[in-house]
Amino acid sequence: MEVLGNRCGPGILPLVVVVLSPDTKEETVAWLLRRIREKQQAGGAELLVNQLRTEVVVKEKENPNIFLVGASCQRLLFGAEDLGLFKEFSDGSMRSFTCINSHNFKEFHGDGDGFLSMAECQYIIKHELETLRAKDETHVPGYTQAKLYPGKSIIRRLQSKRILIQMFPLHDREELKRLSFKWYKKVKPSLQPLDDIRYYYGEGLALYFGFLEYFTMALVPLALMGLLYCQFDWKNYDKYVFFAAFNLIWCTVILELWKRCSASLAYHWGTLSRKKVFEEPRPGFHGILGFNPVTGREEPLYPNSKRQLRIYLVSLPFVLFCLYLSLCVMMIYFQMEGWALMLHEREPTFWTEILLYIPGVIYAVVIEVMNLIYRYAAEFLTEWENHRLESSYQNHLVLKVLVFNFLNCFASLFYIAFIMQDLVLLRQNLATLLITSQIINQFMEAFLPYWLQRRRNKMAMKEVSLNVQVRLENDMSTYLGTFDDYLELFLLFGYVSLFSSVYPLAAVFVVLNNITEIYSDAFKMCKLFKRPFSDPAANIGIWQLAFEAMSVIAIVTNCTLIGMSPQARAFFPDSEMHLMLWTVAVEHGLLAFKFILAFLVPDVPKHIQIKLARLEFESMEALKKKKMFDIPVLRRVAREEEGEINT
Amino acid sequence: MEVLGNRCGPGILPLVVVVLSPDTKEETVAWLLRRIREKQQAGGAELLVNQLRTEVVVKEKENPNIFLVGASCQRLLFGAEDLGLFKEFSDGSMRSFTCINSHNFKEFHGDGDGFLSMAECQYIIKHELETLRAKDETHVPGYTQAKLYPGKSIIRRLQSKRILIQMFPLHDREELKRLSFKWYKKVKPSLQPLDDIRYYYGEGLALYFGFLEYFTMALVPLALMGLLYCQFDWKNYDKYVFFAAFNLIWCTVILELWKRCSASLAYHWGTLSRKKVFEEPRPGFHGILGFNPVTGREEPLYPNSKRQLRIYLVSLPFVLFCLYLSLCVMMIYFQMEGWALMLHEREPTFWTEILLYIPGVIYAVVIEVMNLIYRYAAEFLTEWENHRLESSYQNHLVLKVLVFNFLNCFASLFYIAFIMQDLVLLRQNLATLLITSQIINQFMEAFLPYWLQRRRNKMAMKEVSLNVQVRLENDMSTYLGTFDDYLELFLLFGYVSLFSSVYPLAAVFVVLNNITEIYSDAFKMCKLFKRPFSDPAANIGIWQLAFEAMSVIAIVTNCTLIGMSPQARAFFPDSEMHLMLWTVAVEHGLLAFKFILAFLVPDVPKHIQIKLARLEFESMEALKKKKMFDIPVLRRVAREEEGEINT
């Protein structure tokens, strides 16, 4: 790969691409480059940055304002210390990296070249760019409407004013080729190379693939049992009781174990005990200028009470209204289907038979449209709620979308199961929904983009110059995060767990789907998308909660389904009351079991708990010996106060 | 108060009393005193210690081995830094105390005299004594069977071999007099002086009194409503539905708010963000000598798996068996009562009427005896489980005793409510149990000890010499912790919440009881017991969980009670099934509401969250500037490894 232009020393790679809008004023560009290059003492980022050379024949539409950012090895190591990256120490434990101790870290040789992975370097550069703060500028040079104040992140302001179009890390073609061979191009089936994925894409994505793999493996026993049940008579409900009980406990256990598994991965990747750096406000966040009570920096403040009012008085009613609307649409669908069936029964012709399918098609289309509109509305509302942090924005968005998708996917099944109480129809619908959604997903997610991409740039496969590579990657679509991937898994988990007592075969389909999903997701990440910035996640976040909520709901639904089954009724021929009491008692028992289990199983495995405790102990012992940080300002205040008393 | 003998400087108070067994060998005493007095660099505790002068006329049985321990002001300040005590900083935030910054702390004047409260000083001395470690001694001099090894806590070994009988902090008579006037001797009713209680007794006890007060206040609205209901017809069930619903939500809300309230108190007392020091193993803990994986110190190790086996294969079955036994006893009681009633109805004489009361009396006696035996068994089992830490020993003991007491107190009420379905009898029994248990408790807890104490030492009231004071306090009984006090509150909470829909008056009785409880507990702490060491608790620990579990059970019982009421039945005259479905649905709704509420309400108030975040931010910023601790040993290892590669 080519190195950064003449200003950079030998062997320094370009890491991050910054794309400004083509009509950016020259003084703005010059100012930005100067701020990026300035020494840290002078408030700059002390990074290396160069404009991408335009091709000899400049195409009409080609954007000249593409910049490559890199940094010296030393600068990156300082950045790693700033961020508190955890690396493996010589005794095998994970410790916060510090330059002074650098030679005590494993894999640190010479001047530290190759110590940080490319993804880490890119993450550091992203962080340094984002924390590049305005000094005494009152606005971005050339754009008087783009206000700045001391301490405001320059990059965030440029983003919110759409002067900065995007910022993305470069792929490393050779590394990527090696990764893809290990990951999805191999013939022999084996586990995914999670450490390599994490090395290349960072912890957030590696945790997603780890979870996908774990989830698939965890479903294999259920799938095998499902296949066994398939051998028996289809109408033999009573064995399903056993299956359902096993399923419920299994779901609880695997979710508990995943927490431990995820903690284990996160520990070895150094994100478990890493303190989060204080997040910058989101680009879209606005408010009245004030002082952040935590950092003391000047930044916009927005009262939490106002946000709460917006959430509870606008967003919550809106979500509830949408849920209600979705239920109405479902009721209309069932009515339409009833009419169609009635028509068909009255005079069964070819046309009335076609008519039978029409309500289903209309319902499917309406649902898709509603999903789309709702997604936009949810994004708009969450933006309007004006969350300060990207993470809390994401959580609120996920929650909104999750609830709606859950209802859309499962409401009709709930209706069939508990209002119509038609278990045969339930099984049919479940199978249809599961299989069609899988086919559509696979098609939309992998084959379509693959085909489009293949047509678009065959040249991308060849060895190309850095110049061409940057422009090619600039045109690739942006990976929008793991949200949709997790959502898909969440809905599949719903199909497996909610109605497992009537359709054990669901697990088989989900396992098959997940296996292809691993390959198509891997392919999509390696070939179709821009490289995403790594995201140092310590766990799967709000999704753990979502999966656990689903498993609680599954206990309620399955107990009810079993209580409704003819076999259960046959057990209590005289009294429905007794049957009901038993069902409720069993359900409460299972719920209690679930919560007690969650309480008893520690979320972090013992050997990692010990390592974390040791780290804490050592830092406490060290603090005892060292003097604590002292705060010059406060000391001065204290001295002045003393002076006042004296005079 | 007199000062420590000739070895100590002027103005140094004796703080802690160490009592050795009267027949301790002289060489042991001399060795212990030397170790306590030795400089810290030499591995000593650097404290001041003197033997209590015996009276001129030595009584036959008087123990000569009573020692007074004190420390210089400077030594105590170093100890406070060691322990990481949090004190108020000049900017109003709470910070870990450091000697170098001492003048930036509020209330720090001159050389720091009076900066630490007496309770803090005593806690520091206790900690310093407990972390006084053996150097090269292989056993306690004079006791070859009392083995020592480098790093073993000397005091813990002396305790486990019963050479050290007890160690307690001295009361401060003047301070105590002031406190008792503020606390329970005042005429005008007002809130308790929680800050003063904390100043004198430490955070653990202050949190108990804080909780007691909070709980009482929180019950006042319920008590008022209960009184209102009392005005209505006693048999008018349907208004109870409203009361029960209010009660359930109220219980959930007050428990959530208590967490915030407790966090607020703990923040201002400096225990919320204080890192716990690594606990020493309990005196009774035994195992094979090895190296603690966290601290690297030599100490006994006991495999966790063995402990788990003991818990799940012995303790758990034993507890379950006891619970079963208790149920059996209850069934026998009901049968006996049935017989007595039958006999009385067959030929009603004076003797058969007396016979009616006999089963109840026998049952009450048997329960008390079972409670006593079970308590011993639980202590024995928990001891045998061989927990390393005092805190985990306490948690396991609390859990065992809690479950058994819960069953003993409430099983008969459950039986009457749900098996016999006799709501009138339930109300009668509830009232009887509540009122008798209160009367007995007040009598046993306050009046009896008060009377005994009064008889024993009238002279304690007078001004006495230090010498006499120490011997008097030595004879006072030891306060065994807040366990029994919390247990009592827990059971009272059960009476209020579990069956509130049939007996709203319960809250009134509990409020009355709590008010007297505050006074009797305060009196008991000030007059009857040795001063306890302060316990830097950040919350009420496992009791929060216990109260929350109770409020979950209350939702289930109250929904069932309402579902069984004639009014609810009248609502669904045709179908019991529908009534049942509704009951279950409402119950699930309430449970979901409870969990969502617990999830939504942050456990720590916003303004304290901000303060904690600021502290963390500052320490991170400081770490960025400072070099991290380096570990010489590891560095040497790394160098050696490098050397190996080179050679």
Side-chain angles (χ1 to χ4, degrees):
Chain A
M1 196 182 280
E2 287 169 63
V3 300
L4 272 181
N6 44 359
R7 271 189 60 100
C8 307
I12 289 172
L13 289 175
L15 291 166
V16 172
V17 180
V18 172
V19 184
L20 299 183
S21 122
D23 53 356
T24 312
K25 295 190 182 134
E26 262 179 50
E27 57 171 323
T28 314
V29 173
W31 166 75
L32 179 65
L33 296 188
R34 199 185 65 241
R35 290 303 317 273
I36 294 179
R37 281 175 188 146
E38 252 173 3
K39 291 252 177 269
Q40 280 193 290
Q41 291 93 316
E46 211 170 338
L47 300 174
L48 308 166
V49 56
N50 257 13
Q51 191 155 18
L52 192 71
R53 278 165 296 166
T54 42
E55 298 290 297
V56 184
V57 187
V58 180
K59 284 186 222 157
E60 195 58 41
K61 280 177 191 165
E62 204 146 79
N63 183 355
N65 286 330
I66 299 181
F67 298 89
L68 297 175
V69 184
S72 71
C73 180
Q74 200 52 43
R75 177 72 189 87
L76 288 171
L77 290 177
F78 279 129
E81 181 172 340
D82 248 29
L83 268 168
L85 285 193
F86 268 61
K87 304 290 281 180
E88 197 175 356
F89 209 63
S90 51
D91 63 348
S93 66
M94 304 297 301
R95 280 161 201 273
S96 182
F97 174 76
T98 49
C99 290
I100 189 111
N101 288 327
S102 57
H103 283 281
N104 288 336
F105 284 87
K106 258 189 192 169
E107 324 258 315
F108 193 97
H109 308 296
D111 58 355
D113 212 12
F115 176 64
L116 298 168
S117 72
M118 190 168 165
E120 280 167 337
C121 293
Q122 289 166 335
Y123 180 68
I124 291 166
I125 287 191
K126 176 180 172 238
H127 175 252
E128 296 296 338
L129 286 177
E130 280 180 349
T131 51
L132 184 60
R133 297 175 193 292
K135 290 187 292 189
D136 40 10
E137 298 96 337
T138 53
H139 56 84
V140 175
Y143 295 85
T144 42
Q145 83 285 13
K147 294 265 184 297
L148 285 175
Y149 44 86
K152 169 71 186 173
S153 159
I154 290 172
I155 294 291
R156 289 282 160 113
R157 173 59 80 227
L158 293 176
Q159 275 175 322
S160 68
K161 291 292 171 189
R162 316 250 176 233
I163 302 168
L164 179 79
I165 302 176
Q166 62 177 344
M167 186 164 91
F168 64 90
L170 272 176
H171 269 298
D172 178 345
R173 303 207 138 209
E174 280 161 47
E175 194 64 53
L176 186 62
K177 202 176 276 171
R178 235 174 295 146
L179 175 65
S180 62
F181 270 104
K182 268 197 193 165
W183 197 0
Y184 65 93
K185 285 189 175 166
K186 60 189 167 0
V187 184
K188 175 174 88 170
S190 64
L191 294 181
Q192 294 176 89
L194 287 183
D195 285 324
D196 296 297
I197 299 172
R198 177 248 161 182
Y199 188 81
Y200 194 84
Y201 286 110
E203 292 78 16
L205 209 72
L207 271 179
Y208 165 69
F209 281 102
F211 181 67
L212 178 55
E213 186 175 283
Y214 175 87
F215 181 50
T216 312
M217 309 269 262
L219 286 183
V220 166
L222 287 184
L224 289 180
M225 279 182 74
L227 282 177
L228 277 179
Y229 276 93
C230 197
Q231 302 292 317
F232 295 116
D233 181 15
W234 269 94
K235 259 142 209 120
N236 186 351
Y237 288 95
D238 71 343
K239 287 195 188 70
Y240 291 144
V241 173
F242 174 71
F243 182 79
F246 177 76
N247 186 322
L248 292 178
I249 292 172
W250 188 246
C251 285
T252 304
V253 170
I254 60 171
L255 284 177
E256 276 307 306
L257 291 183
W258 165 250
K259 271 192 245 169
R260 294 166 67 87
C261 197
S262 136
S264 207
L265 287 174
Y267 177 76
H268 289 294
W269 293 342
T271 50
L272 187 63
S273 46
R274 207 191 123 202
K275 294 253 160 46
K276 279 259 169 80
V277 282
F278 283 87
E279 269 183 85
E280 288 293 306
R282 306 180 56 232
F285 177 68
H286 56 85
I288 300 157
L289 217 59
F291 290 95
N292 182 317
V294 174
T295 62
R297 287 190 197 124
E298 206 174 13
E299 69 171 42
L301 297 181
Y302 187 76
N304 203 30
S305 53
K306 259 195 190 172
R307 187 178 304 123
Q308 299 283 347
L309 280 183
R310 287 185 174 188
I311 292 175
Y312 289 112
L313 295 187
V314 180
S315 296
L316 186 66
F318 174 79
V319 171
L320 291 180
F321 172 73
C322 286
L323 295 181
Y324 175 74
L325 208 72
S326 161
L327 282 180
C328 289
V329 169
M330 187 191 76
M331 296 310 294
I332 293 171
Y333 155 65
F334 278 112
Q335 239 165 15
M336 273 163 56
E337 208 173 61
W339 287 336
L341 204 69
M342 205 177 63
L343 270 181
H344 179 66
E345 271 168 11
R346 211 182 288 162
E347 39 177 323
T349 66
F350 172 71
W351 293 109
T352 54
E353 206 175 316
I354 286 178
L355 196 67
L356 274 182
Y357 291 96
I358 288 180
V361 173
I362 293 178
Y363 183 56
V365 170
V366 169
I367 284 239
E368 276 306 308
V369 172
M370 275 169 62
N371 261 339
L372 214 68
I373 296 174
Y374 179 81
R375 184 73 170 264
Y376 277 109
E379 275 171 19
F380 174 79
L381 271 180
T382 318
E383 183 73 50
W384 177 71
E385 282 163 19
N386 199 14
H387 292 274
R388 186 177 165 268
L389 301 181
E390 186 63 33
S391 55
S392 88
Y393 170 85
Q394 284 297 338
N395 282 351
H396 279 260
L397 183 62
V398 166
L399 201 66
K400 285 195 189 73
V401 176
L402 205 67
V403 171
F404 192 71
N405 271 276
F406 178 83
L407 197 81
N408 267 346
C409 270
F410 298 114
S412 63
L413 295 176
F414 273 92
Y415 185 82
I416 296 172
F418 303 118
I419 312 290
M420 295 166 68
Q421 306 208 352
D422 184 341
L423 298 190
V424 180
L425 185 63
L426 175 65
R427 195 181 303 136
Q428 275 174 13
N429 265 36
L430 197 57
T432 320
L433 266 174
L434 192 57
I435 295 166
T436 46
S437 81
Q438 280 181 18
I439 292 171
I440 293 174
N441 262 328
Q442 294 290 335
F443 180 75
M444 296 282 284
E445 259 189 53
F447 297 110
L448 195 66
Y450 174 64
W451 180 71
L452 285 175
Q453 183 74 7
R454 210 182 168 121
R455 250 187 25 163
R456 201 165 48 182
N457 51 343
K458 280 192 177 162
M459 57 193 300
M461 300 296 131
K462 292 179 226 152
E463 277 296 310
V464 292
S465 73
L466 173 65
N467 215 324
V468 178
Q469 188 198 337
V470 170
R471 293 198 188 269
L472 278 176
E473 289 186 18
N474 187 23
D475 292 338
M476 286 165 106
S477 30
T478 306
Y479 179 63
L480 294 171
T482 46
F483 180 93
D484 288 294
D485 297 316
Y486 275 117
L487 184 62
E488 199 185 326
L489 285 189
F490 174 74
L491 296 177
L492 288 178
F493 182 64
Y495 289 124
V496 176
S497 60
L498 288 182
F499 304 102
S500 56
S501 51
V502 291
Y503 190 53
L505 221 56
V508 180
F509 286 108
V510 172
V511 166
L512 289 178
N513 174 73
N514 278 3
I515 291 171
T516 59
E517 179 87 19
I518 289 176
Y519 283 93
S520 68
D521 278 357
F523 170 77
K524 164 179 105 173
M525 286 314 304
C526 291
K527 293 282 168 192
L528 306 186
F529 287 118
K530 278 197 198 78
R531 184 175 188 170
F533 276 111
S534 90
D535 155 34
N539 49 50
I540 63 172
I542 199 171
W543 292 102
Q544 180 80 36
L545 197 72
F547 277 79
E548 274 168 24
M550 181 73 97
S551 79
V552 169
I553 299 173
I555 288 179
V556 180
T557 53
N558 279 299
C559 285
T560 320
L561 282 177
I562 291 171
M564 278 164 27
S565 71
Q567 277 69 22
R569 279 168 210 249
F571 241 75
F572 298 93
D574 308 323
S575 153
E576 279 212 313
M577 204 57 192
H578 273 114
L579 166 62
M580 185 95 188
L581 277 175
W582 268 104
T583 312
V584 173
V586 167
E587 188 231 344
H588 278 71
L590 280 170
L591 284 176
F593 172 79
K594 189 180 163 57
F595 283 103
I596 290 173
L597 196 77
F599 179 75
L600 284 184
V601 179
D603 288 355
V604 176
K606 189 80 189 172
H607 66 279
I608 290 180
Q609 271 178 36
I610 288 176
K611 282 181 180 168
L612 293 179
R614 189 164 75 200
L615 197 64
E616 206 188 332
F617 176 76
E618 275 174 15
S619 84
M620 265 170 36
E621 289 289 306
L623 269 183
K624 269 191 204 172
K625 278 161 206 155
K626 294 240 168 192
K627 298 304 169 202
M628 281 287 283
F629 52 91
D630 56 351
I631 299 131
V633 179
L634 288 171
R635 185 163 277 193
R636 212 186 53 225
V637 169
R639 240 182 261 134
E640 277 166 13
E641 274 173 10
E642 266 176 38
E644 267 171 38
I645 295 164
N646 290 343
T647 50
Chain B
M1 198 182 279
E2 286 170 66
V3 299
L4 270 182
N6 45 357
R7 270 189 62 99
C8 307
I12 289 172
L13 289 176
L15 292 165
V16 173
V17 179
V18 172
V19 183
L20 299 184
S21 121
D23 53 356
T24 312
K25 294 189 182 133
E26 263 179 48
E27 58 171 322
T28 314
V29 173
W31 166 77
L32 179 65
L33 296 188
R34 200 184 65 243
R35 290 304 316 275
I36 294 178
R37 283 173 187 151
E38 250 172 6
K39 290 252 175 269
Q40 278 193 293
Q41 290 93 314
E46 212 169 336
L47 299 174
L48 307 167
V49 56
N50 254 16
Q51 192 155 14
L52 193 72
R53 276 166 297 164
T54 41
E55 299 289 298
V56 182
V57 186
V58 180
K59 282 187 225 158
E60 194 57 41
K61 280 177 192 168
E62 204 145 78
N63 183 354
N65 286 329
I66 299 181
F67 298 90
L68 297 176
V69 185
S72 72
C73 179
Q74 201 52 41
R75 177 73 191 88
L76 289 171
L77 290 176
F78 278 129
E81 180 171 343
D82 249 29
L83 270 168
L85 286 193
F86 269 60
K87 302 291 279 181
E88 197 174 358
F89 209 61
S90 51
D91 64 348
S93 66
M94 303 297 301
R95 282 162 201 273
S96 182
F97 175 76
T98 51
C99 291
I100 187 110
N101 288 328
S102 56
H103 283 281
N104 289 336
F105 285 86
K106 259 190 194 169
E107 324 259 316
F108 193 97
H109 308 296
D111 58 353
D113 210 14
F115 177 64
L116 297 169
S117 72
M118 189 168 168
E120 280 168 336
C121 293
Q122 288 165 335
Y123 181 67
I124 291 166
I125 288 190
K126 174 178 174 242
H127 176 253
E128 296 296 338
L129 285 177
E130 278 180 351
T131 52
L132 184 62
R133 295 174 194 293
K135 292 186 292 188
D136 40 11
E137 297 96 337
T138 54
H139 57 83
V140 174
Y143 294 86
T144 43
Q145 83 286 12
K147 294 263 183 300
L148 285 174
Y149 44 84
K152 170 71 186 174
S153 159
I154 290 172
I155 294 292
R156 288 284 160 113
R157 172 58 80 230
L158 293 176
Q159 275 175 320
S160 68
K161 290 291 172 190
R162 317 245 176 239
I163 301 167
L164 179 78
I165 301 175
Q166 63 177 344
M167 188 162 91
F168 63 90
L170 272 178
H171 269 298
D172 178 345
R173 303 206 139 209
E174 280 160 47
E175 193 65 55
L176 187 63
K177 202 176 278 174
R178 234 173 297 145
L179 176 66
S180 60
F181 271 105
K182 269 197 192 168
W183 198 0
Y184 64 92
K185 285 189 176 165
K186 60 190 168 355
V187 185
K188 176 174 86 167
S190 64
L191 293 180
Q192 294 176 88
L194 287 182
D195 285 324
D196 295 300
I197 300 172
R198 177 248 164 184
Y199 188 82
Y200 194 83
Y201 285 112
E203 292 78 16
L205 209 72
L207 271 177
Y208 164 69
F209 281 102
F211 181 67
L212 178 54
E213 185 175 282
Y214 175 87
F215 181 50
T216 311
M217 309 268 263
L219 286 183
V220 167
L222 286 184
L224 288 181
M225 280 182 74
L227 281 177
L228 276 179
Y229 275 94
C230 200
Q231 303 292 317
F232 295 115
D233 182 14
W234 269 93
K235 261 143 207 118
N236 186 353
Y237 287 96
D238 70 343
K239 286 195 187 71
Y240 291 144
V241 172
F242 173 71
F243 183 78
F246 176 75
N247 186 323
L248 292 178
I249 293 173
W250 187 246
C251 285
T252 305
V253 170
I254 60 169
L255 286 177
E256 279 306 307
L257 290 184
W258 166 249
K259 273 192 245 171
R260 293 165 68 86
C261 195
S262 135
S264 209
L265 286 174
Y267 177 77
H268 289 295
W269 294 341
T271 51
L272 187 62
S273 46
R274 204 191 127 201
K275 294 254 162 41
K276 278 257 168 80
V277 282
F278 283 88
E279 270 183 82
E280 288 294 304
R282 306 180 53 232
F285 178 66
H286 55 86
I288 300 157
L289 218 58
F291 291 95
N292 183 317
V294 174
T295 61
R297 286 189 198 127
E298 205 174 14
E299 69 171 45
L301 297 181
Y302 187 78
N304 203 29
S305 53
K306 259 194 190 174
R307 187 178 303 125
Q308 299 284 346
L309 280 182
R310 287 185 173 186
I311 292 174
Y312 289 112
L313 295 186
V314 180
S315 296
L316 186 66
F318 174 79
V319 171
L320 291 179
F321 172 75
C322 286
L323 296 182
Y324 175 75
L325 208 71
S326 159
L327 282 181
C328 289
V329 169
M330 186 192 75
M331 296 310 294
I332 293 172
Y333 155 64
F334 278 112
Q335 240 165 13
M336 272 164 56
E337 207 171 60
W339 286 336
L341 204 67
M342 203 177 63
L343 270 180
H344 181 65
E345 270 167 12
R346 211 181 289 162
E347 38 177 322
T349 66
F350 172 71
W351 293 110
T352 54
E353 208 175 314
I354 286 179
L355 196 67
L356 273 183
Y357 291 95
I358 288 179
V361 172
I362 295 178
Y363 183 57
V365 170
V366 169
I367 285 238
E368 276 307 308
V369 172
M370 275 169 64
N371 261 340
L372 214 67
I373 297 175
Y374 180 81
R375 183 73 172 263
Y376 277 108
E379 275 173 18
F380 174 79
L381 271 179
T382 319
E383 184 73 49
W384 178 71
E385 281 163 19
N386 200 14
H387 293 275
R388 185 176 164 271
L389 301 181
E390 186 64 33
S391 56
S392 89
Y393 170 85
Q394 284 296 339
N395 282 350
H396 278 262
L397 182 61
V398 167
L399 201 66
K400 285 195 189 73
V401 176
L402 206 66
V403 171
F404 192 70
N405 271 277
F406 178 82
L407 199 80
N408 268 345
C409 270
F410 298 114
S412 63
L413 295 176
F414 274 94
Y415 185 83
I416 295 171
F418 303 117
I419 311 290
M420 295 165 72
Q421 306 207 352
D422 185 342
L423 297 191
V424 180
L425 186 63
L426 175 65
R427 195 180 305 135
Q428 276 173 15
N429 264 37
L430 197 57
T432 320
L433 267 174
L434 191 58
I435 294 164
T436 47
S437 81
Q438 280 182 17
I439 291 171
I440 293 174
N441 263 327
Q442 295 291 337
F443 180 74
M444 297 282 284
E445 260 189 51
F447 297 110
L448 194 65
Y450 174 65
W451 181 70
L452 285 175
Q453 183 74 9
R454 213 186 166 116
R455 247 188 27 163
R456 202 164 50 183
N457 49 343
K458 280 191 179 165
M459 58 195 294
M461 300 296 131
K462 292 177 225 153
E463 277 295 311
V464 291
S465 71
L466 173 65
N467 216 325
V468 178
Q469 188 198 339
V470 171
R471 293 198 189 268
L472 277 178
E473 287 186 20
N474 185 26
D475 293 337
M476 285 167 107
S477 31
T478 306
Y479 180 62
L480 293 170
T482 46
F483 181 93
D484 287 293
D485 297 316
Y486 276 118
L487 184 62
E488 197 186 328
L489 284 189
F490 174 74
L491 296 177
L492 288 178
F493 182 63
Y495 288 122
V496 175
S497 59
L498 288 181
F499 304 101
S500 55
S501 51
V502 291
Y503 190 53
L505 221 56
V508 180
F509 287 108
V510 172
V511 166
L512 289 178
N513 176 73
N514 279 3
I515 290 170
T516 58
E517 180 87 20
I518 289 176
Y519 284 93
S520 69
D521 279 356
F523 171 76
K524 165 177 104 173
M525 287 314 304
C526 290
K527 292 283 167 190
L528 306 186
F529 287 118
K530 278 196 198 78
R531 184 174 189 170
F533 276 111
S534 89
D535 156 33
N539 50 50
I540 62 171
I542 199 170
W543 292 102
Q544 179 80 37
L545 197 73
F547 276 79
E548 274 168 23
M550 181 72 96
S551 80
V552 168
I553 299 174
I555 289 179
V556 180
T557 53
N558 279 299
C559 285
T560 318
L561 282 176
I562 292 170
M564 278 165 26
S565 71
Q567 275 70 21
R569 277 168 212 250
F571 240 74
F572 297 94
D574 309 323
S575 152
E576 280 214 313
M577 204 58 191
H578 273 114
L579 167 62
M580 185 97 187
L581 277 175
W582 268 103
T583 311
V584 173
V586 167
E587 188 230 344
H588 278 71
L590 280 170
L591 283 175
F593 171 79
K594 189 182 163 58
F595 283 104
I596 291 173
L597 195 77
F599 180 75
L600 283 184
V601 178
D603 288 355
V604 177
K606 190 80 188 170
H607 67 278
I608 290 180
Q609 270 178 36
I610 288 176
K611 283 182 180 166
L612 293 179
R614 189 163 76 199
L615 198 64
E616 207 187 332
F617 176 76
E618 274 174 15
S619 84
M620 264 169 39
E621 290 289 306
L623 268 183
K624 269 190 204 173
K625 277 160 207 157
K626 292 241 171 192
K627 299 304 170 203
M628 281 287 284
F629 52 92
D630 56 352
I631 300 131
V633 179
L634 289 170
R635 185 166 274 193
R636 211 185 53 222
V637 169
R639 239 182 261 134
E640 276 165 13
E641 273 172 11
E642 265 176 38
E644 268 170 38
I645 296 164
N646 291 343
T647 49

